[in-house]
Amino acid sequence: MSEPRPSDRHDDSDPDETFAEIVDEETQRDPDLAVIEAGSRTLRTRSGPPQGDEVPARPADPEVDKALRAVEQELAGRWGETKLEPSVARIAALMDVLGEPQRAYPSIHITGTNGKTSTARMIEALLGAFDLRTGRYTSPHVQSITERISLDGSPIDPERFIEAYQDIKPYVEMVDAQQPYRLSFFEVLTGMAYAAFADAPVDVAVVEVGMGGSWDATNVIDSSVAVVTPISLDHTDRLGTTPAEIAGEKSGIIKQGATVILAQQPVDAAQVMLKKAVEVDATVAREGMEFGVVSREIAVGGQLLTLRGLGGEYEEIFLPLYGAHQAHNAAVALSAVEAFFGIGAEQPGSLDVDTVRRAFASVVSPGRLEVVRSSPTVVLDAAHNPAGARATADGLSEAFGFSRLIGVVGASGDKDVKGLLEAFEPIFAEVVITQNSSGRAMDVDELAAVAVEVFGEDRVQVEPRLDDALEAAITLAEEEDEYAGAGVLVTGSVITVGEARLLLGRR
């Protein structure tokens, strides 16, 4: 891992000229580092957390369940998360009439293509371990809508979720009446989260963008720390068709004077991000330069890491999640929390390593290489784009070593399903194509046609119902004694994973 380099540039130089010089100088650098030097300055160092939450079940009380379903139905009547009118005008208007609740606490804002939710959970665990009251807002949910808004490491209970909706409903209707378009499903949920965090009150909010950054509904906060997880192609109809174009949208969360924690990126995406940092005088810490993964080894139930943060090295960190991508997420999360506490910029030293160890050991991330059954082993992973699928395939191969792996895939129609299936082709002996209950789900016959193109007809089975698909995959995994080490991976969509989780008895 390279050492940080002192800058020999003057702060009074023209930002555009400085950036052009930097890019020109760095074109021969190893692109895997994605660490083009840019910005008016670079971040350098001078030297019993809450338990992770499981996915909540439906409320046991019939009346509470009825009330929650009524709220869900009202929210579902609004624009869904994929129907957008790119603007923060509506959410800004809602924040205004609510009294700007998002200004009541500091926040860490997270964008990127893959790894946002897992990174948010790690950041939340670390902050909680240092005795801060946390609020976390993530999307989408795996099983219950209440997962999206968490306090102190756990989803808010259904009663509180209902109360949060009822509290802001009159103001939502007021804004609806004044705007050309009604507030969307995601915008209302964002308003609920920000109001709930102010009401709690929280010491810090950890906020994941829904899509993009500049015009995302979450982007009415002025976060002191902006986190950018790896960028790849997804939502290309909304965000752009190249990593650079997508980075342009996502860079919108970087605010004046903020600290940017930048995961490894494609070079063109890194250029865009770092140029934005120049423009707003942001401080940048880059994976592979100021922080990163020093070493990792497979351990029972996860992996053992040495991480380099902004304040030095942290050894013997047990992370109960699988895959190299989760180790990189951990490095990003650690550096984000260090930056939040001012380590590396305002003060020397590092975080207490024992507290860091306890925090990481508590992390869970449902639906991310999550084992939900044995004999045969059934693993759930919410990969829904090619980059995520490649990370999942690598993590699965490294951690499990199945002798035969059966895939169950149900994807959304707006995704690069061919790229997704191609990423899994080397590790799937056979694939069972299915469909989840979402209106966004790709038609099972259309998905099967793509699967046949990728896998060949002999390796593809079609089961339109997810329960039948799970049964078929488990049967295939069990059918021959020689395949005692066989397993099943359910993937392709967060919704597919959530529904499979329920069918397999996880609550």
Side-chain angles (χ1 to χ4, degrees), residues 8 23 43 100 133 157 162 172 193-194 230 286 349 371 459 497 501 507:
D8 56 2
V23 172
L43 186 63
E100 304 290 346
R133 187 165 202 207
D157 58 45
I162 296 162
V172 168
Y194 287 164
R286 304 146 299 171
V371 178
R459 294 167 64 193
V497 163
R501 209 171 184 274
R507 295 291 189 269

Side-chain angles (χ1 to χ4, degrees), residues 68 72 75 141 143-149 161 185 189:
L68 180 59
E72 291 171 328
L75 290 170
H141 56 274
Q143 285 175 205
S144 171
I145 194 171
T146 60
E147 297 166 38
R148 294 179 179 235
I149 305 173
F161 186 90
F185 168 88
L189 276 174

Side-chain angles (χ1 to χ4, degrees), residues 7 140 229 335 385-386 456 461:
S7 174
T229 66
S335 296
N385 56 47
Q461 183 171 330

Side-chain angles (χ1 to χ4, degrees), residues 58-69 158-159 162:
R58 296 298 309 185
D61 186 325
E63 291 303 314
V64 175
D65 188 51
K66 181 180 178 181
L68 180 59
R69 290 185 187 278
E159 294 87 349
I162 296 162

Side-chain angles (χ1 to χ4, degrees), residues 39-186:
S40 60
R41 61 187 186 277
T42 299
L43 186 63
R44 296 177 184 84
T45 62
R46 292 186 294 176
S47 184
Q51 294 300 306
D53 60 293
E54 287 294 333
V55 176
R58 296 298 309 185
D61 186 325
E63 291 303 314
V64 175
D65 188 51
K66 181 180 178 181
L68 180 59
R69 290 185 187 278
V71 171
E72 291 171 328
Q73 186 173 2
E74 288 190 27
L75 290 170
R78 295 179 173 273
W79 276 2
E81 290 173 280
T82 58
K83 186 173 182 180
L84 304 167
E85 193 279 317
S87 170
V88 294
R90 293 175 301 279
I91 187 66
L94 180 60
M95 293 296 100
D96 182 53
V97 297
L98 289 174
E100 304 290 346
Q102 82 282 13
R103 312 280 183 211
Y105 39 80
S107 57
I108 296 175
H109 207 177
I110 306 170
T111 190
T113 302
N114 292 307
K116 295 188 296 296
T117 297
S118 292
T119 303
R121 286 175 171 272
M122 294 178 195
I123 291 172
E124 173 190 50
L126 284 162
L127 293 169
F130 286 98
D131 298 323
L132 293 182
R133 187 165 202 207
T134 58
R136 172 171 52 86
Y137 182 52
T138 54
S139 61
H141 56 274
V142 177
Q143 285 175 205
S144 171
I145 194 171
T146 60
E147 297 166 38
R148 294 179 179 235
I149 305 173
S150 290
L151 293 172
D152 294 325
S154 296
I156 61 174
D157 58 45
E159 294 87 349
R160 193 165 193 170
F161 186 90
I162 296 162
E163 181 182 358
Y165 176 74
Q166 296 298 341
D167 283 347
I168 75 164
K169 182 178 178 180
Y171 301 96
V172 168
E173 292 172 346
M174 184 187 308
V175 173
D176 284 344
Q178 297 170 346
Q179 296 290 324
Y181 303 99
R182 293 202 313 157
L183 288 152
S184 70
F185 168 88
F186 186 73

